[in-house]
Amino acid sequence: MNQPAIKKDQRPANDPAHQEEVSVVETHLDDIDHFDGTTSIAENPVRRAVDDFRNIIDEMDDLREVLRAHGVPLRTTRMIVEFGVQKNPEKQSMAIDSAMGQAKESFGEGILERRVLENHISTIVDLERDLTHSRDVAREEGLDAQALSMLTQMVQKNPGDGGTKAVNTLLSYALAYGVKTEQLAEMMGNLVQRPTSVFPQIARKPAAATENSRAKLIQDAVVGCFIGVFVIYMLL
């Protein structure tokens, strides 16, 4: 009788070795003095990348909502933008013609002028390219762009707590499942003070200055844990 295959790396959450790993993680989270005021955002590529992703995506979402409010469905906007990214002006112009017709049927003469719509589309196309560039910069710095995108979504979908509950939930599930975490502390340390990227940096709108607080430092530590656990999980 054949025995079911057993994954060697999968261990029950009550395994003594796993409990020791969890204890190491908890100790490291409690000891957050390393992430104090001397670690600036400029030295934290994860924080810098996620903030840049958020700013770009927020700008695109705002413009998409403006177009949707004037009768251009989000799906249509995505199609028009994609033609712009692909540098296909003929198909993009035809798609804009169709969008203008649909909007006029729904809103009559109160629709956006074509010039205004084209300007909004052009801005979104530029922002899409900025986002692609930001992801390339993150990869060049040795970061996992997929993990950063996932983290960005968690933060954006949970504005009340900045994604804290969602990230902590995922981290607790990973630990309960038995994901190996012995390299977590080392990986967290490697996420700061990386070499400067060789890619030119995109000039973004300056954010309002805020004071570093203990709560934000704890959030940074949890974010670092999440990225470490996610990368380890992808390697299993």
Side-chain angles (χ1 to χ4, degrees), residues 3-10:
Q3 296 295 326
I6 299 176
K7 294 182 178 179
K8 294 182 179 180
D9 291 337
Q10 183 175 343

Side-chain angles (χ1 to χ4, degrees), residues 3-25:
Q3 296 295 326
I6 299 176
K7 294 182 178 179
K8 294 182 179 180
D9 291 337
Q10 183 175 343
R11 295 168 298 169
N14 60 355
D15 184 282
H18 174 65
Q19 291 296 331
E20 182 178 352
E21 291 175 5
V22 173
S23 178
V24 170
V25 174

Side-chain angles (χ1 to χ4, degrees), residues 60-79:
M60 288 193 293
D61 286 347
D62 288 344
L63 290 173
R64 290 189 182 106
E65 284 301 317
V66 169
L67 295 178
R68 188 172 72 89
H70 287 82
V72 182
L74 294 177
R75 183 174 60 181
T76 301
T77 298
R78 284 195 293 269
M79 178 179 64

Side-chain angles (χ1 to χ4, degrees), residues 61-101:
D61 286 347
D62 288 344
L63 290 173
R64 290 189 182 106
E65 284 301 317
V66 169
L67 295 178
R68 188 172 72 89
H70 287 82
V72 182
L74 294 177
R75 183 174 60 181
T76 301
T77 298
R78 284 195 293 269
M79 178 179 64
I80 297 173
V81 170
E82 184 60 27
F83 287 142
V85 172
Q86 295 174 357
K87 298 182 179 180
N88 193 330
E90 292 184 3
K91 288 187 176 181
Q92 186 185 52
S93 180
M94 292 175 60
I96 291 176
D97 288 341
S98 177
M100 292 292 295

